[in-house]
Amino acid sequence: MSEQTLELKGSLFPLSVLSCPDLSVAALQQQLSQKLSQAPAFFYQAPIILNLTGCQQTPDFIAIKTLFVELNLVLVGVCGASNDIKQQAQQAGLAALQLGKDSKAVKTAETITSAENSNATRQTTVVTNNVSVPMDTKIVEQTVRSGQQVYAKGTDLVIKGTVGAGAEVIADGNIHIYGTLRGKAIAGASGDTSKRIFCNNLQAELVSIAGNYWLSESLQGEFWSKAACVKLQDDQLVLADLV
């Protein structure tokens, strides 16, 4: 009989960091429910780290864990906590993580609004990469920068610039990116498996269609740094040429 060995290795996995000034259960329930409605398939059972930077009062970790279960989220641990709060989080069964050395605080995702950034839902026909997109397509004229998020509810999303590393673009429909995709792109966020992601330069941190996702290491093959289409085929993500 061969000897069985236990192997424990460090690894990197995508974790969402939640920063919220009001960590009461009521406030979290309201804001998280609104956020999750944007992309229910993508956030299902997503692992979450709670950022407690600047938190003066101890959150009710047991109640928050219960809330996360109800919302189909997984609360993994906390970061940015004082020693006292860290100990109470650990007593509630949560991991206590350190913020990066080069980061004083985890940056909260900034939602881009149409008024602030001249993004608008255009009542025109758009053709990109020889693909026609709906007349009510949401068009973003500029680059989406790190920490920013754009969501196109019920329609396609066109990004004329680049999606930077650490940025996130979400659409219930298809996503078309004229520039380089370095951040995250989530198409078919409401669960439509027929939606696709089109980009002129694929260097993504993550791509997802209807909750099915690939990380950067799974993308670094034939289409890396090239124009590509991401789609679902037989319930599996595949990469293909734009034409």
Side-chain angles (χ1 to χ4, degrees), residues 50-55 78-82 86 97-99 104 106:
L50 195 61
N51 181 21
L52 302 178
T53 302
C55 181
V78 300
C79 65
S82 65
K86 185 187 299 182
L97 307 177
Q98 292 291 117
L99 291 173
K104 295 182 179 179
V106 177

Side-chain angles (χ1 to χ4, degrees), residues 36-41 150-157 169-175 186-196 209-210:
L36 296 178
S37 67
Q38 298 178 3
V150 177
Y151 174 47
K153 183 175 178 62
T155 188
D156 284 8
L157 175 62
V169 292
I170 304 172
D172 290 339
N174 301 297
I175 296 177
I186 303 162
S190 59
D192 190 337
T193 58
S194 68
K195 302 309 178 184
R196 301 183 179 188
I209 297 178

Side-chain angles (χ1 to χ4, degrees), residues 75-150:
L75 183 58
V76 176
V78 300
C79 65
S82 65
N83 289 333
D84 289 341
I85 295 179
K86 185 187 299 182
Q87 290 178 4
Q88 295 186 48
Q90 290 172 331
Q91 290 173 2
L94 300 175
L97 307 177
Q98 292 291 117
L99 291 173
K101 293 181 179 180
D102 297 329
S103 176
K104 295 182 179 179
V106 177
K107 187 175 183 180
T108 305
E110 176 186 350
T111 301
I112 297 181
T113 62
S114 298
E116 292 174 345
N117 296 278
S118 301
N119 304 332
T121 300
R122 303 295 182 79
Q123 297 298 323
T124 54
T125 300
V126 179
V127 178
T128 174
N129 298 319
N130 298 319
V131 179
S132 297
V133 298
M135 292 183 66
D136 60 348
T137 293
K138 182 170 184 175
I139 301 177
V140 177
E141 301 285 352
Q142 76 279 2
T143 289
V144 184
R145 304 185 188 283
S146 177
Q148 294 180 322
Q149 181 194 83
V150 177

Side-chain angles (χ1 to χ4, degrees), residues 212-233:
N212 300 273
Y213 69 89
W214 274 351
L215 299 177
S216 176
E217 54 264 30
S218 299
L219 301 170
Q220 296 182 26
E222 177 185 356
F223 292 96
W224 187 252
S225 296
K226 298 179 181 178
C229 167
V230 184
K231 61 183 179 179
L232 274 176
Q233 184 173 304

